[in-house]
Amino acid sequence: MRRKFVSSVRNGSTFYLAIVAAVYALALNGCGKNGDDTAGPHYRAELARTSNGVAHVRANDFSSLGYGMAYAYAQDNVCMFADSLLTARGERSQFFGPNLPATRTANGEYGAASDFMDLNNQDSDFFFKGYLDIEQIKAGYAAASENARKLLEGYAAGYNRYLRDYAGRYPAACNNAKWVRPITLEDMYLVLAEKALHASGEVFAKEIVAGARDDPAKFPAAPRQVDKPDTSLIRARLARLTGELGSNGLALGKDVTASGRGILLGNPHYPWTSTDRFYQMHLTVPGRYDAMGVILGGIPIIVIGFNRDVAWTHTVTQAVHFTTFKLALDPGDATGTTYLFDGAKVKMSAKTVTVDSLQPDGSITKRSKTFYFSKQGAVLVMPEAGISWTTAAVHVLADANRNNTRLIDQWIGLGSAKSVLEMKAALDKTAGLPWINTVAADRSGNTMYADASVVPHVTTDKFASDCFLVPPLLMFDGSRSACAWGHDPDTPEGIFSPANGPWMMRTDYVGNSNDSYWLSNARALLTGPAPFGFSPLYGRTGVEQMLRTRIGFKQLEQVLAQRKPMQLTDLQELAFANRLYAAELVLPELLPVCAAANDSGLTPACNVLAAWDKRTNLDSRGAILFREFWNDASSIPDKWAVPLDITDPVNTPRGLNPASQAAMLAALKRAAQKMAVLKIPLDARLGDYQGETRNSVRVPMHGGIGDIDGSYNSIHMSTALGATGYNDVKWGTSYVQAVTFDENGPVAQAMLVYGQSVDPTSRYYADQVPLYSAKQWPTLPFSAEQIKADQHFEVITLSE
């Protein structure tokens, strides 16, 4: 095997760069179309870096594209990726022992703990080994496009190349660690499978492991008796997905933009320390694919971004991607592993897996469990919710994402689209998005919202039938085929076609902030086809919307009411306006009541809130007091005087209910007392008490919480309020992009707030945090000329 490594070329004269570019172009053009030319290297990619470490990978085929992409990602995040591979492989216990949780962030470095499940290493290993079916996954990729398979093959090769080149010189978090090992194509399949399960299987990983048996011949012990099963558990877990991992997406069309072209704002609120971090890249296969934006963890393709003609973003959807089924068991099978389906006896399939666990003395022990599956899904046990395995019945989780192998093809399709029409066609064709909405705008001034995620094909009529057994548990009768998931033509088995799901195309605007499809445009509520609308699995309609959703549409409509065509800077101002909608709703009526109370314990607090700008900017004085007050007061029941008007979900409910005033004032007094104990001034600047520390340098952070307080720009800190304030971001505004188009291509300004690298010694570890603090939007270079003109341009060529 021939290998070649061309050293970095930093900025020099224009003449020199032109020569370098010409040499690289000749090298790339010399490759065979599929990178299989036996006279030359199998992989060849150009990897350029521009300001803030943004990686630009250019190759003549998807194999080489993946190769260069993996090398760049490993340069910045090798320890995090190697650690997360252990999770997908089910090998955490082998290296870290069975009882510890997944690696927590420490010393400013990465964390590998999932934001969707909380298991110790051994249970995590059992879950992934037992729940993922590599043979079915391989069969799925065998049916995928050649581009998708080649991309993943090249990614594994590029990562392994990095390991060889930098052996002994990895970052301190994993240098010389035994668990940093070469990977295979199948490993990449597992990494993608793990990402697909975020809003389904992983949410119930603990219960799926609980449904497995240590001894397959032994019936499980009698379930723990629960006096009052809590059937709200499933709803609570689903609410966490959007409540803690939300996003904003807003697309403006030609009716409201000054240029007549589309403008897009993408602002996902994602983890800052886990393996679901974004990474900025620009990927190009000339004539076939050219998109820029971010990849997500180990998903090696642009998932949020733009190309020459279209910009798009995603938000976590309110749709549900699973149901449960109750199976009647055959009383003649003492093992309880035969169920009845349309009266026929069906034996469950069983899968026994073994986990290796490191012991304190350095030895390795083995433990096995057997997982069981019906044709609908995996057995799970959740006694606290009334889901148990008895001699009469058992329950299974039916998961639309368990074998979803279409993610790469879906995002190749989105990144290749030339309009929102083509983007919608790609969504309908592939049906591969796991748990997200899509918001997009194109250069012609069209916009699109779509929930094209994989949603179980359970039509509205089934929710009104005797098939639906326990609504809070989304539990259906698994003993009858009439109650099974349905099917749409030209769509994978068991899910709705995105063509039959919620979507709209408009020329004014569309948006989403993690509420359901119902409110995607304040002027045209989306209710679905008559007479029953969309399946309830897509989300609820006619319900109170989150405050973050409401402020997003309210501030946009207020700007549009001025009848001034909008520009890119207008959308950027909305993104970081930092208005707090809860304050706007409550304080106008609460402050006069507070003043009238003539309470010495309240008056200083009321004066501070009266002078506050009702925003969460760095200089805002009163934001800390209001946050501590509202974290308490938001749970006061019946606090609104004007109830929800389903024809006006942006502006209702509102008004302070007089009956809640006393409780509100009591909550305000408690907040003021808390700050006094902590010796924090009631009028303290937010920037002095909310910050992110990198390499001992504290950077002040603007932004509010989000759903609870109505901050469009959401920042969730790792600590509650202490004497030093709120410290270090746990999750929130992560990658934020504002994109439009001119005659030459995309015009994009964006930042990856937490930076490209998790290595504290990297120059890309802390460089973008101050940009966010100062609300500075870097312009991203897209064309070859713009890339080479970047003041921090450098480039290498990789071949093998």
Side-chain angles (χ1 to χ4, degrees):
M1 180 179 292
R2 190 176 73 177
R3 290 190 288 164
K4 179 182 179 185
F5 186 78
V6 179
S7 300
S8 295
V9 179
R10 296 185 180 275
N11 270 341
S13 67
T14 303
F15 175 74
Y16 181 63
L17 287 176
I19 293 175
V20 171
V23 171
Y24 289 154
L26 287 172
L28 286 170
N29 290 333
C31 291
K33 183 176 181 181
N34 295 314
D36 294 324
D37 187 350
T38 55
H42 189 69
Y43 303 108
R44 186 187 295 271
E46 176 188 294
L47 168 57
R49 296 272 189 169
T50 53
S51 297
N52 305 121
V54 177
H56 304 257
V57 180
R58 185 180 181 90
N60 272 357
D61 54 79
F62 279 87
S63 296
S64 297
L65 188 70
Y67 184 81
M69 193 187 334
Y71 199 93
Y73 188 68
Q75 284 180 321
D76 294 319
N77 298 291
V78 63
C79 296
M80 183 175 68
F81 187 63
D83 200 331
S84 66
L85 279 166
L86 299 179
T87 300
R89 285 167 164 165
E91 295 178 345
R92 302 203 61 81
S93 301
Q94 180 180 340
F95 295 96
F96 300 126
N99 299 319
L100 292 175
T103 308
R104 306 295 191 189
T105 182
N107 302 318
E109 295 187 349
Y110 75 94
S114 171
D115 296 279
F116 301 88
M117 64 182 196
D118 185 15
L119 301 178
N120 64 28
N121 287 332
Q122 182 169 264
D123 284 347
S124 174
D125 290 344
F126 273 127
F127 171 71
F128 285 105
K129 282 193 168 185
Y131 194 65
L132 296 182
D133 188 325
I134 189 61
E135 294 306 318
Q136 290 189 43
I137 292 171
K138 286 194 294 185
Y141 280 103
S145 72
E146 181 181 8
N147 288 341
R149 293 193 301 273
K150 291 292 187 181
L151 184 75
L152 297 177
E153 173 194 281
Y155 196 89
Y159 178 77
N160 294 340
R161 165 69 183 277
Y162 170 87
L163 296 187
R164 294 193 302 270
D165 286 349
Y166 285 84
R169 296 183 292 127
Y170 306 149
C174 66
N175 196 33
N176 297 317
K178 293 180 180 179
W179 45 268
V180 182
R181 298 170 296 162
I183 65 173
T184 66
L185 177 60
E186 288 186 13
D187 288 329
M188 290 307 301
Y189 291 168
L190 293 174
V191 167
L192 285 161
E194 186 274 330
K195 298 297 182 189
L197 297 178
H198 278 358
S200 50
E202 287 183 1
V203 178
F204 303 99
K206 176 182 177 182
E207 289 73 28
I208 291 168
V209 173
R213 297 182 182 179
D214 292 332
D215 184 351
K218 185 178 179 181
F219 194 84
R224 173 171 57 88
Q225 292 299 314
V226 178
D227 293 334
K228 246 178 143 179
D230 183 0
T231 56
S232 68
L233 285 174
I234 286 182
R235 177 59 61 186
R237 293 195 187 184
L238 291 175
R240 180 179 177 273
L241 298 180
T242 52
E244 294 190 11
L245 295 168
S247 304
N248 298 321
L250 188 58
L252 306 181
K254 58 188 175 184
D255 293 350
V256 300
T257 64
S259 66
R261 304 186 190 278
I263 306 177
L264 179 100
L265 171 68
N267 179 16
H269 303 149
Y270 260 58
W272 277 40
T273 60
S274 80
T275 55
D276 284 318
R277 285 169 50 106
F278 292 109
Y279 184 78
Q280 285 182 281
M281 300 203 89
H282 179 193
L283 307 177
T284 304
V285 178
R288 298 163 68 185
Y289 182 88
D290 190 10
M292 188 174 187
V294 286
I295 67 173
L296 176 64
I299 303 179
I301 195 68
I302 301 299
V303 297
I304 291 176
F306 54 92
N307 59 30
R308 191 181 187 281
D309 302 297
V310 185
W312 77 96
T313 191
H314 297 299
T315 62
V316 175
T317 174
Q318 283 278 339
V320 179
H321 306 95
F322 63 88
T323 66
T324 64
F325 283 98
K326 181 178 182 179
L327 309 180
L329 295 179
D330 173 19
D333 182 356
T335 67
T337 58
T338 299
Y339 62 99
L340 303 176
F341 190 74
D342 286 340
K345 298 177 182 180
V346 183
K347 190 71 174 177
M348 293 182 189
S349 63
K351 180 182 182 183
T352 300
V353 297
T354 300
V355 167
D356 294 335
S357 294
L358 178 68
Q359 301 304 301
D361 63 1
S363 64
I364 298 291
T365 63
K366 296 181 180 293
R367 184 181 171 190
S368 299
K369 279 185 179 291
T370 300
F371 291 76
Y372 293 89
F373 301 84
S374 74
K375 63 175 62 181
Q376 296 98 331
V379 170
L380 76 164
V381 171
M382 193 179 192
E384 62 271 35
I387 297 178
S388 300
W389 194 342
T390 69
T391 57
V394 70
H395 306 81
V396 297
L397 180 75
D399 183 350
N401 271 313
R402 181 167 174 249
N403 293 307
N404 179 3
T405 56
R406 303 179 301 280
L407 279 67
I408 294 296
D409 273 322
Q410 185 66 89
W411 273 303
I412 289 176
L414 295 182
S416 302
K418 294 181 174 59
S419 67
V420 296
L421 279 172
E422 288 191 14
M423 185 163 282
K424 183 64 172 64
L427 292 171
D428 294 349
K429 175 183 177 182
T430 307
L433 291 183
W435 29 264
I436 44 180
N437 299 297
T438 303
V439 176
D442 66 23
R443 68 166 42 251
S444 297
N446 302 301
T447 70
M448 178 192 72
Y449 160 81
D451 185 346
S453 61
V454 294
V455 174
H457 195 292
V458 184
T459 52
T460 305
D461 58 299
K462 282 186 180 176
F463 286 86
S465 73
D466 61 356
C467 286
F468 200 26
L469 302 181
V470 186
L473 299 177
L474 292 175
M475 186 183 294
F476 290 84
D477 185 350
S479 66
R480 294 182 286 158
S481 58
C483 301
W485 292 359
H487 177 59
D488 278 346
D490 302 320
T491 304
E493 190 71 29
I495 65 172
F496 284 108
S497 166
N500 298 327
W503 62 277
M504 61 167 56
M505 291 187 185
R506 298 180 63 87
T507 51
D508 53 357
Y509 70 84
V510 296
N512 184 268
S513 292
N514 306 116
D515 272 305
S516 84
Y517 62 87
W518 180 51
L519 179 55
S520 300
N521 179 294
R523 305 171 179 182
L525 299 177
L526 185 57
T527 56
F532 302 119
F534 297 111
S535 168
L537 293 180
Y538 277 107
R540 296 182 296 170
T541 64
V543 297
E544 182 178 339
Q545 303 293 281
M546 295 182 290
L547 291 180
R548 177 165 55 89
T549 293
R550 291 172 62 185
I551 190 61
F553 286 114
K554 186 173 184 66
Q555 63 185 10
L556 173 61
E557 284 288 352
Q558 287 175 337
V559 172
L560 296 180
Q562 301 171 9
R563 300 192 178 279
K564 175 186 174 183
M566 295 187 68
Q567 303 186 56
L568 193 69
T569 53
D570 296 315
L571 209 54
Q572 291 170 325
E573 289 178 8
L574 292 182
F576 292 158
N578 288 329
R579 290 171 57 178
L580 223 56
Y581 198 36
E584 295 179 15
L585 290 172
V586 170
L587 292 185
E589 295 178 56
L590 182 63
L591 290 178
V593 175
C594 186
N598 196 26
D599 184 332
S600 60
L602 280 172
T603 299
C606 295
N607 290 340
V608 167
L609 292 181
W612 172 43
D613 60 6
K614 301 184 184 66
R615 296 177 186 253
T616 55
N617 289 318
L618 297 181
D619 291 329
S620 295
R621 296 180 179 272
I624 300 172
L625 174 61
F626 186 84
R627 179 180 301 182
E628 294 306 308
F629 154 69
W630 191 248
N631 283 345
D632 185 354
S634 62
S635 61
I636 295 173
D638 303 320
K639 56 183 170 290
W640 304 120
V642 179
L644 171 68
D645 177 352
I646 62 171
T647 67
D648 188 13
V650 171
N651 297 298
T652 61
R654 67 173 184 269
L656 192 59
N657 184 350
S660 70
Q661 291 174 358
M664 290 276 179
L665 293 179
L668 180 56
K669 183 178 285 189
R670 288 192 294 271
Q673 291 169 343
K674 178 179 180 179
M675 293 181 67
V677 170
L678 294 171
K679 298 182 179 180
I680 298 175
L682 297 179
D683 65 346
R685 288 177 69 253
L686 178 63
D688 292 337
Y689 287 90
Q690 180 169 275
E692 170 79 8
T693 299
R694 296 289 179 96
N695 289 334
S696 301
V697 176
R698 183 187 176 280
V699 180
M701 305 297 286
H702 56 86
I705 298 177
D707 295 341
I708 189 173
D709 58 9
S711 173
Y712 198 59
N713 176 31
S714 298
I715 290 290
H716 286 247
M717 308 305 289
S718 297
T719 68
L721 184 65
T724 59
Y726 310 103
N727 298 308
D728 298 330
V729 180
K730 183 178 181 181
W731 58 269
T733 294
S734 49
Y735 173 69
V736 56
Q737 66 174 19
V739 186
T740 189
F741 308 89
D742 62 18
E743 61 277 5
N744 297 317
V747 177
Q749 294 187 323
M751 69 187 86
L752 184 62
V753 183
Y754 41 65
Q756 289 279 75
S757 178
V758 295
D759 178 8
T761 67
S762 169
R763 55 180 162 160
Y764 307 131
Y765 171 70
D767 57 331
Q768 297 197 59
V769 180
L771 300 178
Y772 169 81
S773 180
K775 299 184 181 180
Q776 295 178 354
W777 295 70
T779 298
L780 298 183
F782 185 79
S783 70
E785 294 74 22
Q786 291 168 340
I787 293 168
K788 292 164 190 170
D790 186 277
Q791 62 177 335
H792 295 106
F793 172 81
E794 58 187 40
V795 64
I796 62 174
T797 290
L798 300 163
S799 64
E800 177 179 332

